[in-house]
Amino acid sequence: MTPRSILTLCFLVAPTFAQSNGMITSMDVPMDLAVGQMLPYVHFTPGDTVWILGWVPSSAGSMVGTCIGVFLLAMLERWLAACLELAEQHWAERANIMALEKSDVSSLSSSSSPSAKKSKWLQLPPFVPEFDITRGVLFTAHAFIRVLLMLIVMTFQLAFIASITVGSGVGETLFGRLALSAHEH
């Protein structure tokens, strides 16, 4: 067989396999999930897909385990938010110290004028890689956890929504004072 005939055979056979790949391309057919279908209203019935098709809590025990995991994830989100606030406060203090050190050195070499003082207030803080890259990573992790929680809420499973709400409340109770203490100093 020549390479040209193999290539021709591939183009003739490929559409045949593509027609029987098991995918439903019509939007008129309801979506079958691993167990049951998604219910578009608030409910307590098990069988909702959580993030991936392989995670479908269908028994009472798997629902309790999923609710505990969601509760802990909501607490983790509040802890990460408090850590981000504390880190922001620390980074702001360090940036002020760095700016003061830099301004002390530059004020010795130049004379102070009213326009120079005004321009200091209009400047952004300097980019400090050790602060700003860490800030970006923490913010990305926090946003990712919030998206995961949002996807769980979108299942309309009331047990999951209650777990998120209670977990956020407990997390705020435990870690909220850390964020408040960052603003007091």
Side-chain angles (χ1 to χ4, degrees):
M1 239 178 175
T2 65
R4 186 176 197 178
S5 61
I6 292 173
L7 189 61
T8 304
L9 185 63
C10 287
F11 282 120
L12 293 175
V13 174
T16 305
F17 289 125
Q19 295 298 326
S20 62
N21 65 359
M23 296 294 292
I24 299 172
T25 57
S26 171
M27 296 302 288
D28 298 331
V29 180
M31 185 171 130
D32 289 328
L33 299 175
V35 176
Q37 295 181 353
M38 287 183 65
L39 301 175
Y41 51 85
V42 177
H43 59 280
F44 268 117
T45 57
D48 291 311
T49 302
V50 180
W51 298 328
I52 57 173
L53 285 177
W55 188 2
V56 183
S58 55
S59 67
S62 62
M63 284 294 292
V64 169
T66 302
C67 286
I68 291 170
V70 168
F71 174 84
L72 293 174
L73 185 65
M75 283 182 55
L76 176 70
E77 187 271 332
R78 296 314 311 149
W79 174 77
L80 195 55
C83 287
L84 199 53
E85 286 289 327
L86 284 173
E88 286 286 344
Q89 180 66 30
H90 172 72
W91 294 327
E93 290 172 3
R94 293 292 302 149
N96 286 339
I97 291 170
M98 291 170 67
L100 286 174
E101 289 173 352
K102 192 174 188 178
S103 68
D104 287 344
V105 171
S106 64
S107 66
L108 294 175
S109 62
S110 66
S111 64
S112 296
S113 66
S115 63
K117 288 181 182 178
K118 186 176 181 181
S119 67
K120 284 183 185 178
W121 291 103
L122 299 177
Q123 292 178 354
L124 290 174
F127 179 80
V128 181
E130 63 185 85
F131 301 157
D132 295 323
I133 292 172
T134 307
R135 175 187 296 116
V137 169
L138 283 175
F139 182 82
T140 302
H142 190 226
F144 181 71
I145 290 173
R146 288 183 294 177
V147 167
L148 290 178
L149 291 172
M150 178 206 55
L151 290 173
I152 292 173
V153 168
M154 289 174 61
T155 64
F156 296 110
Q157 171 54 264
L158 200 52
F160 298 159
I161 294 170
S163 297
I164 291 171
T165 305
V166 173
S168 294
V170 170
E172 185 65 25
T173 301
L174 293 175
F175 308 118
R177 67 184 183 281
L178 300 176
L180 289 175
S181 70
H183 294 293
E184 291 174 1
H185 295 295

